[in-house]
Amino acid sequence: LNVDIIEVEGSGQLVNEGTLNANRIIMPTTGEVCNKAGGTMNVQLIEYQQEFGKLTNSGDMHVKTLNAAYILNGTMTNDGRIFIGGGFSRANEVLGNGGIYYQLTLESCFVVEEGTDSDALIPISVENGKYYAKWGSKIQLKPDWNDNQFFKEWYAPNVFIDDESYDDEDMTIQKTNIFTMPNWPATITAKYSTLSIADITVEYGPYATNRYPLVVSGIYDGSGMGTVTY
C-alpha cells in the first residue's frame, strides 16, 4: 500500500501486516498504530501531535524522521526492528526488547567480526562502508592497509574520541578500537600519515663519531602498532 498522509483520529487504530509506504503518519490521541510481526512500514515522518497515542512495532519499521515530542506521555513499544534515518534522543524511553538501528558509515576502515556483537550490523552497502548499526551494540574496527602510510587517529564528527574508556554521554573509541553505537547516525574515518624514510650515513667501528641506529625498514601491519626491523 502506497499513501501520502495517514491521520489516525481519536481512539482509531491502524494495523499493518503487509508492506506500507507512507510519507507521513499522524498519531492518534488515544488510539494505536501497530506494525505486526512480518509487516514492513516505510515512513518519512511519524508525528506525535497529541499526548497519549500508542506506537507498537513487532516487524520492520523504517522511519526517516520520528517526531516524538510527546512520547513521554504516550507509549512506544518495539519488539521488532526500527531503522531511524536521523537522531532519536528519546530512544531510552522505548519499551520492548527490539532493536533500534541507525546508519553507520565507515571510511578507510572495516569491521572486525571477532570483536563485534553478533546482531550489531545489518549491511546496506558493505563495499561503500554503509551499515545499519544497533544502538548500544559493541563494534570493533580496524584501519585499512595503505601502502607507505600508517594509521594516525580516528575521526568522527560529533563523536567523543578517547583512548581510555567509554562514557555513557558520548560515543568513545577505545584503545582496542571498540566503540558502542550511539542513538544517532555516525560516520567514522581512519586517518593516516605518510611514512617517510630519510637516508643517513652511518659510521661503524670502534672510532665512529656519529653513532646512529641503523634502520632497515619500518613495517605497519594495519593494527595500530608498527614494527621496525634492523
Side-chain angles (χ1 to χ4, degrees):
L1 178 62
N2 300 305
V3 295
D4 184 18
I5 298 174
I6 298 176
E7 182 173 2
V8 185
E9 297 182 345
S11 58
Q13 187 178 46
L14 171 65
V15 177
N16 177 60
E17 296 179 337
T19 300
L20 173 63
N21 302 310
N23 287 327
R24 183 182 177 191
I25 293 179
I26 302 174
M27 295 294 296
T29 53
T30 58
E32 180 180 12
V33 171
C34 176
N35 184 44
K36 290 197 170 184
T40 300
M41 292 180 66
N42 301 303
V43 185
Q44 292 293 309
L45 171 65
I46 293 181
E47 186 171 354
Y48 274 79
Q49 290 189 333
Q50 304 294 334
E51 296 186 354
F52 303 108
K54 295 179 181 180
L55 178 61
T56 304
N57 176 58
S58 298
D60 282 350
M61 182 178 292
H62 297 257
V63 185
K64 184 176 182 180
T65 304
L66 180 56
N67 175 11
Y70 295 99
I71 194 173
L72 187 62
N73 296 320
T75 60
M76 182 174 178
T77 303
N78 175 42
D79 288 310
R81 301 186 300 184
I82 297 179
F83 305 88
I84 300 179
F88 179 38
S89 62
R90 297 192 171 211
N92 61 339
E93 298 174 21
V94 177
L95 306 176
N97 298 313
I100 299 178
Y101 293 79
Y102 300 87
Q103 187 162 313
L104 172 66
T105 302
L106 303 178
E107 298 178 349
S108 301
C109 59
F110 58 93
V111 173
V112 179
E113 293 185 3
E114 290 81 0
T116 299
D117 291 346
S118 59
D119 61 345
L121 297 172
I122 297 175
I124 299 175
S125 176
V126 175
E127 62 272 16
N128 294 319
K130 294 187 180 297
Y131 301 84
Y132 276 118
K134 185 178 179 180
W135 169 50
S137 61
K138 304 290 185 182
I139 300 170
Q140 186 175 36
L141 304 178
K142 187 173 184 178
D144 289 340
W145 171 269
N146 288 340
D147 291 339
N148 299 321
Q149 291 186 318
F150 65 93
F151 173 70
K152 180 181 179 182
E153 61 186 2
W154 294 110
Y155 174 72
N158 302 319
V159 170
F160 179 70
I161 298 178
D162 180 9
D163 285 340
E164 298 300 331
S165 62
Y166 174 73
D167 186 328
D168 288 338
E169 296 180 358
D170 298 286
M171 177 178 133
T172 304
I173 300 177
Q174 302 174 1
K175 285 183 177 180
T176 54
N177 295 338
I178 293 177
F179 71 96
T180 300
M181 186 65 191
N183 60 338
W184 63 80
T187 298
I188 300 177
T189 304
K191 293 291 187 179
Y192 298 84
S193 292
T194 301
L195 179 66
S196 61
I197 302 175
D199 294 331
I200 60 174
T201 300
V202 178
E203 296 180 12
Y204 60 94
Y207 303 106
T209 58
N210 53 343
R211 299 179 180 180
Y212 299 104
L214 177 60
V215 178
V216 176
S217 62
I219 303 173
Y220 175 67
D221 63 5
S223 66
M225 297 294 293
T227 59
V228 176
T229 59
Y230 59 90

